[in-house]
Amino acid sequence: MPSVCFYFQVHQPYRLRHYTVFDEDHRYFDTFKNRAICQKVANKCYLPTNRLILELIKRYEGKFRVAYSITGVLLEQLAEYAPEVMSTFDALARTGCVEFLAETYYHSLSFLYSRDEFKEQIIKHMDTIEHLFGQRPRIFRNTELIYSNELSEAIEQMGIFDGVITEGADKILGGRSPNFIYRPPQEGKVKLLLKNYALSDDIAFRFSNRGWCEWPLMAEKFSHWVNRVNGNGYVVNLFMDYETFGEHQWEDTGIFDFMRQLPDEIMKHPDNNFKTPSEVIKSYPATDVVNVPALISWADTERDLSAWLGNAMQSNALHELYRLEQRVKKTGDSSLLSDWRKMQSSDHFYYMCTKWFSDGDVHKYFNPYDSPYDSYINFMNVMGNLEKRCGKSHQGRQRAVKQLKAEVNS
Amino acid sequence: MLGWEFPPFISGGLGTACYGLTKAMSKLGLDVTFVLPRAIQMENPSTCVKMRTPADVNDGKTEWEICEEGLRNIKFKAIDSALRPYATSETYRHEVEEMIRNKQKLCGMDGGVVGMEEIGSQAHYSGDMYTEVHRYAASAVKLAMQEDFDVIHAHDWMTYPAGIAAAAASGKPLVVHVHSTEFDRSGEHVNQMIYDIERAGMHAADKVIAVSYLTRNIILSRYGVPGDKVEVVYNGIERNGNGFGCGKMDITRDEKIVLFLGRITMQKGPEYFLGAAKKVLEIMDNVKFVMAGSGDMMRRTIELAAELGIGSKILFTGFLRGEDVRKVYERADLYVMPSVSEPFGIAPLEALNHDVPVLISKQSGVSEVLTHVLKADFWDVNEIANKIIAVLKYPPLQMTLKEHGNFEVRKLKWEDAAEKCRQIYLQLIERAVCV
């Protein structure tokens, strides 16, 4: 009776423009590039895939169901650069077959550096989702599926979530199957959904790889693999970047046709069905505890944080950024706060990663910089300007207060 | 192997490259006869490579052996010639006379490669380098007849005519190794004579080795050499002497050092270095810019520094060697190479070898092999300054560049370059047999 649970991650950061130490204005972001990328991905992925999902939901009369986690920074950009995508998401929300998940609004690593900021961003994201799509998320996914016992504890304490999504990494499962529901070691109601990375990556990464022995992957074959779970698991969690469809795997690889045929093939087996994360958690009990003392993520083969925290530049940039938190917030300057928060997107630190750099890895595809060093320099130059603004606003406010006092006295 | 300079007679990267390559070939078990177009006069015999000169070997043979470990399979031959890369005609004439005097002392003995007659007959010409290049070629032919070898490998234009002649005389394949071209050295104001020699050499060769794809492109586009004849073999670097580098000088002064090390000529872009320095000094004050090297733009560069009003922040050290180079690297926070055109550029590798982070121009061959360095267009003074400031301001950046850069540079080995050359030799020999 495996349920297939699709969750798609939808995110684009605000990329920084080339900002030198000589620049003094507050325009940090590359509007031209961000618009161009947003529109390109909208045309290649978001629009066609949303239409396909909508078509499938209608065809199967609600039996086909999926979940999305859309970051706040992408929602902002879509509203500005590709509003037609927003209306298709809206249409999806209205079907009642789509669940929206909660995450940090800015796709940030704030959990690691500031719990206050972490919670503020989650609430901001939930408010936005509720405002746009009329549902308040019940499931949380952290940036890059970064997770540890501490995270589930923090989420439990917030008291508003039923479950957390993370990676079904071998090192936390220790030979157990990711196809069951788990719970963290501490007491509470939060359950864990673990990504079935083998089957997820068959679609997300290997689908078009002609060197792969299973190529070409057809819906029928994939369903056969899902059926094998029958009797040995409740759910197959297929979690992936939404850009898999049309952007990472181009249309001519047949990815859309695969997806179009998949529900039919899956539901040929009478025990199978599709469920959203919340439905999965309601339907099945937690079978066991997973203990995750050290942080994990869904990145690379290491499944650790080294893509964002692997070198001195990355940790320095992150520390410098969060060091400014109080000063930024004290200014009460909303545009400064928004700029500072946009700088928190994990992508900025991913660009500074040196571990894959020499090998000319596929990661380069996602990187707007020539080198991790360029990305660090650019980031730090913007930080320098951001910090100046904190100081200035602070002094400016004091000056204003003094003036006011002087006026009152006179 | 026909060379032009070899340590200790060294005025630039070419000697270093020949030394590294030859040594690595020797390790691979190749027998190399290294021919220098040079009247050997030991000015500075205290370096690691010991050579015996024709003058102190009284049998008059222009052949000597290197005592250094690792150069066992290598014979050195000097063809008596006063050829020097950057000689003036005056010093040249002086040397020719000196050489004739030496030769006369040896008269009657079994005269080495170049017989007395040739010296006598040709010593009267007025002495320009080009004629000398051809005279050297004539001598190389004689040498080619006497020696037993499989391949001729000629380094840079001064040895091309010799290579062509020796190949013609011996029927052996010719490999021409391009370390730099006239376009790199002189921009668009090429010396037609040198260009012609280079072109003839590349076209006559059975294979052309370029030190980078940048250089390969120039060879293809400017010299019209067919692409399948040109192979790229990157230079390497020797890991040496870094063991004692851990005891870095105690830097008490709170001043950062940015280093330019190379000939101060058009090719190396000294004016862009100064332009960037000016920009850096607008933002931060505690920086000194060291320009180590000399060259024909030295005076203009000093004047330019004064014009820009940053004279007190720029230190000119003149040409440095050996221990002084090591010291200046130890003090440096960043090495900058803003070269306008650089076929390869070994100096950045040396800087990385000394744990100094590196900023290089995108217009350099070495930028094809290095990833853990900063890069900028040589003309983009703003960007160069932006990156210099970042390195001086953010220790984590400097640290990461050092760590990864030093690791990366270890992968560039002369052994690999030598192996590639050997493959090329084997190909050529095989082809010769087939024909």
Side-chain angles (χ1 to χ4, degrees):
Chain A
M1 53 168 174
S3 303
V4 174
C5 176
F6 268 113
Y7 133 63
F8 303 117
Q9 179 60 35
V10 203
H11 167 62
Q12 295 292 332
Y14 275 99
R15 292 162 196 85
L16 296 169
R17 75 177 178 91
H18 182 59
Y19 196 89
T20 72
V21 69
F22 304 105
D23 284 300
E24 276 169 1
D25 58 64
H26 306 334
R27 290 179 294 107
Y28 304 143
F29 304 100
D30 193 332
T31 316
F32 179 81
K33 190 188 277 167
N34 288 327
R35 174 188 289 126
I37 291 177
C38 207
Q39 289 172 347
K40 188 190 83 177
V41 181
N43 287 325
K44 283 175 74 178
C45 166
Y46 302 153
L47 284 172
T49 320
N50 279 1
R51 288 191 190 116
L52 173 63
I53 300 289
L54 200 58
E55 175 195 319
L56 293 174
I57 287 172
K58 284 185 180 152
R59 189 193 308 160
Y60 295 99
E61 294 164 338
K63 283 185 196 140
F64 181 70
R65 314 171 77 82
V66 296
Y68 290 98
S69 188
I70 315 174
T71 64
V73 279
L74 177 65
L75 287 169
E76 279 182 28
Q77 293 188 78
L78 287 177
E80 200 179 342
Y81 306 137
E84 64 277 24
V85 177
M86 293 298 277
S87 49
T88 54
F89 272 123
D90 184 55
L92 283 166
R94 283 167 199 274
T95 62
C97 299
V98 172
E99 179 176 4
F100 290 90
L101 313 181
E103 65 174 306
T104 54
Y105 188 96
Y106 294 90
H107 200 260
S108 72
L109 302 171
S110 52
F111 171 71
L112 307 171
Y113 293 90
S114 164
R115 291 295 156 83
D116 292 338
E117 178 64 16
F118 175 64
K119 283 174 195 162
E120 283 170 39
Q121 287 191 19
I122 296 173
I123 299 299
K124 186 174 162 76
H125 185 249
M126 290 173 75
D127 291 346
T128 307
I129 294 296
E130 187 171 15
H131 173 70
L132 288 172
F133 304 119
Q135 54 172 279
R136 196 139 182 102
R138 305 286 305 169
I139 306 286
F140 178 74
R141 68 75 70 176
N142 196 21
T143 308
E144 310 291 353
L145 299 194
I146 290 170
Y147 178 84
S148 70
N149 291 340
E150 230 182 302
L151 182 112
S152 58
E153 227 173 287
I155 293 302
E156 182 73 54
Q157 275 168 17
M158 287 180 79
I160 44 180
F161 292 112
D162 301 328
V164 175
I165 275 177
T166 188
E167 173 71 312
D170 296 336
K171 56 187 170 192
I172 66 165
L173 282 169
R176 290 174 292 179
S177 156
N179 306 328
F180 289 96
I181 317 299
Y182 291 87
R183 57 186 171 82
Q186 67 274 3
E187 287 298 309
K189 64 169 181 173
V190 166
K191 292 182 191 169
L192 300 176
L193 289 185
L194 305 182
K195 174 182 151 192
N196 183 322
Y197 70 81
L199 287 172
S200 300
D201 292 353
D202 284 340
I203 300 175
F205 298 126
R206 287 180 282 272
F207 184 80
S208 62
N209 179 1
R210 285 166 187 252
W212 180 36
C213 60
E214 301 292 351
W215 185 89
L217 181 60
M218 294 299 178
E220 192 185 347
K221 190 193 284 176
F222 190 82
S223 305
H224 180 67
W225 294 341
V226 170
N227 291 340
R228 267 192 258 163
V229 174
N230 216 331
N232 186 30
Y234 301 139
V235 60
V236 174
N237 290 317
L238 300 176
F239 303 162
M240 62 197 73
D241 283 336
Y242 203 35
E243 291 80 8
T244 299
F245 302 94
E247 175 72 16
H248 302 169
Q249 311 289 349
W250 290 2
E251 190 185 351
D252 59 16
T253 63
I255 189 80
F256 289 110
D257 296 329
F258 170 83
M259 199 60 192
R260 189 168 282 117
Q261 285 150 19
L262 190 65
D264 211 31
E265 294 293 337
I266 294 281
M267 287 189 288
K268 270 186 186 165
H269 196 296
D271 289 347
N272 294 352
N273 57 30
F274 289 92
K275 281 189 195 304
T276 67
S278 279
E279 291 163 351
V280 169
I281 281 176
K282 275 193 199 106
S283 312
Y284 306 112
T287 49
D288 204 357
V289 167
V290 280
N291 187 20
V292 190
L295 290 158
I296 59 160
S297 82
W298 73 353
D300 305 333
T301 46
E302 294 95 333
R303 302 285 198 268
D304 62 7
L305 270 63
S306 58
W308 305 276
L309 277 165
N311 66 39
M313 298 189 296
Q314 292 170 309
S315 65
N316 176 253
L318 277 159
H319 276 289
E320 289 297 312
L321 182 68
Y322 285 99
R323 192 174 57 78
L324 287 183
E325 179 179 355
Q326 294 311 321
R327 290 174 65 193
V328 168
K329 287 181 176 169
K330 265 184 196 145
T331 61
D333 178 342
S334 63
S335 82
L336 175 61
L337 181 65
S338 151
D339 285 345
W340 175 71
R341 284 181 157 167
K342 284 174 189 163
M343 301 277 289
Q344 291 183 40
S345 293
S346 65
D347 310 71
H348 299 303
F349 312 100
Y350 191 74
Y351 303 148
M352 298 176 198
C353 177
T354 44
K355 70 174 176 176
W356 43 266
F357 180 51
S358 310
D359 315 327
D361 200 277
V362 286
H363 290 69
K364 272 189 179 166
Y365 179 77
F366 308 102
N367 195 333
Y369 295 96
D370 289 338
S371 92
Y373 306 102
D374 290 4
S375 119
Y376 172 78
I377 292 171
N378 214 44
F379 186 89
M380 293 308 279
N381 285 338
V382 173
M383 283 284 296
N385 188 275
L386 207 74
E387 184 162 7
K388 267 190 221 156
R389 279 166 78 189
C390 297
K392 220 187 262 167
S393 319
H394 186 57
Q395 282 167 357
R397 213 160 52 107
Q398 281 184 328
R399 213 178 299 129
V401 170
K402 260 184 208 163
Q403 259 177 4
L404 208 69
K405 275 184 185 164
E407 274 168 31
V408 170
N409 287 342
S410 68
Chain B
M1 193 170 285
L2 303 168
W4 157 352
E5 49 176 29
F6 201 88
F9 312 101
I10 181 171
S11 55
L14 180 61
T16 314
C18 287
Y19 176 73
L21 186 64
T22 320
K23 196 170 159 184
M25 283 184 169
S26 154
K27 271 191 206 155
L28 288 179
L30 296 176
D31 286 319
V32 180
T33 303
F34 202 95
V35 186
L36 279 167
R38 178 72 54 87
I40 298 300
Q41 292 172 328
M42 298 298 277
E43 298 156 331
N44 185 8
S46 65
T47 45
C48 58
V49 182
K50 293 204 172 51
M51 298 181 176
R52 275 175 283 140
T53 70
D56 54 45
V57 185
N58 270 333
D59 65 4
K61 270 194 181 150
T62 50
E63 181 174 324
W64 69 103
E65 264 158 38
I66 297 284
C67 314
E68 195 189 340
E69 186 72 18
L71 286 173
R72 247 178 262 122
N73 298 325
I74 298 169
K75 258 191 295 180
F76 285 82
K77 295 229 167 206
I79 289 173
D80 283 356
S81 148
L83 213 46
R84 264 162 208 259
Y86 306 108
T88 63
S89 59
E90 209 170 298
T91 60
Y92 173 76
R93 197 174 309 128
H94 172 76
E95 276 175 31
V96 170
E97 280 160 16
E98 184 75 14
M99 187 168 64
I100 293 167
R101 244 175 280 131
N102 279 344
K103 272 288 159 191
Q104 279 162 350
K105 278 188 222 151
L106 303 169
C107 189
M109 330 255 317
D110 54 343
V113 180
V114 184
M116 191 54 214
E117 297 79 12
E118 282 128 304
I119 289 286
S121 64
Q122 289 177 22
H124 300 297
Y125 82 106
S126 60
D128 66 288
M129 272 162 59
Y130 310 119
T131 323
E132 185 60 24
V133 166
H134 289 291
R135 198 177 67 83
Y136 162 59
S139 314
V141 172
K142 289 221 162 191
L143 184 78
M145 309 300 268
Q146 291 169 15
E147 285 287 318
D148 185 33
F149 57 90
D150 299 309
V151 178
I152 302 158
H153 189 142
H155 295 274
D156 264 10
W157 71 272
M158 295 187 79
T159 68
Y160 293 170
I164 297 171
S170 63
K172 304 286 185 186
L174 171 65
V175 175
V176 150
H177 201 132
V178 185
H179 296 266
S180 82
T181 68
E182 185 58 13
F183 294 97
D184 300 308
R185 291 182 297 264
S186 310
E188 292 304 313
H189 311 286
V190 294
N191 180 320
Q192 191 60 36
M193 182 82 110
I194 296 180
Y195 171 78
D196 288 342
I197 293 176
E198 288 182 331
R199 194 184 146 83
M202 294 175 197
H203 281 271
D206 298 280
K207 263 287 188 259
V208 178
I209 295 178
V211 290
S212 64
Y213 282 94
L214 187 85
T215 301
R216 185 176 182 271
N217 284 344
I218 294 176
I219 294 170
L220 264 54
S221 62
R222 301 290 195 129
Y223 294 86
V225 179
D228 55 359
K229 221 168 91 170
V230 189
E231 303 252 0
V232 173
V233 175
Y234 290 120
N235 287 334
I237 179 87
E238 260 190 287
R239 293 283 305 172
N240 55 1
N242 217 24
F244 50 83
C246 50
K248 276 217 171 187
M249 247 189 274
D250 227 5
I251 297 168
T252 44
R253 282 180 304 153
D254 185 30
E255 225 169 16
K256 304 283 187 179
I257 303 280
V258 178
L259 175 67
F260 173 104
L261 193 148
R263 281 179 294 116
I264 302 183
T265 59
M266 188 281 300
Q267 185 193 348
K268 304 288 179 184
E271 67 271 39
Y272 301 103
F273 183 73
L274 289 184
K278 167 90 177 157
K279 290 258 178 189
V280 171
L281 290 164
E282 283 169 13
I283 301 273
M284 51 201 303
D285 189 48
N286 58 333
V287 198
K288 280 262 162 65
F289 294 84
V290 176
M291 298 194 76
S294 56
D296 58 11
M297 271 181 64
M298 181 101 166
R299 177 189 287 267
R300 256 179 66 196
T301 308
I302 294 172
E303 282 167 6
L304 181 62
E307 265 170 48
L308 291 169
I310 53 173
S312 65
K313 290 291 193 176
I314 315 285
L315 300 176
F316 291 89
T317 67
F319 186 78
L320 297 182
R321 53 176 88 226
E323 184 68 359
D324 291 333
V325 172
R326 192 178 64 81
K327 275 187 185 156
V328 79
Y329 275 134
E330 278 186 12
R331 275 294 273 120
D333 293 284
L334 175 67
Y335 171 85
V336 182
M337 185 184 78
S339 291
V340 172
S341 178
E342 187 72 62
F344 188 81
I346 288 184
L349 304 185
E350 280 171 349
L352 288 169
N353 221 350
H354 285 90
D355 266 339
V356 180
V358 160
L359 166 55
I360 55 177
S361 79
K362 288 181 182 169
Q363 290 68 31
S364 65
V366 72
S367 103
E368 295 168 18
V369 292
L370 292 179
T371 51
H372 292 283
V373 296
L374 301 176
K375 296 174 189 177
D377 290 310
F378 72 83
W379 64 83
D380 196 347
V381 172
N382 232 25
E383 186 58 23
I384 295 174
N386 181 39
K387 289 186 163 152
I388 292 175
I389 291 168
V391 171
L392 301 183
K393 225 162 112 181
Y394 306 120
L397 174 62
Q398 204 179 0
M399 215 170 90
T400 317
L401 279 168
K402 259 191 219 176
E403 253 172 41
H404 288 89
N406 194 286
F407 184 73
E408 185 173 49
V409 90
R410 283 180 218 192
K411 287 190 269 179
L412 300 170
K413 292 194 196 108
W414 278 117
E415 283 77 11
D416 297 335
E419 179 55 38
K420 266 191 134 173
C421 285
R422 188 168 75 148
Q423 294 304 326
I424 292 169
Y425 297 161
L426 291 176
Q427 251 178 44
L428 287 176
I429 294 166
E430 209 171 290
R431 200 160 70 190
V433 170
C434 291
V435 173

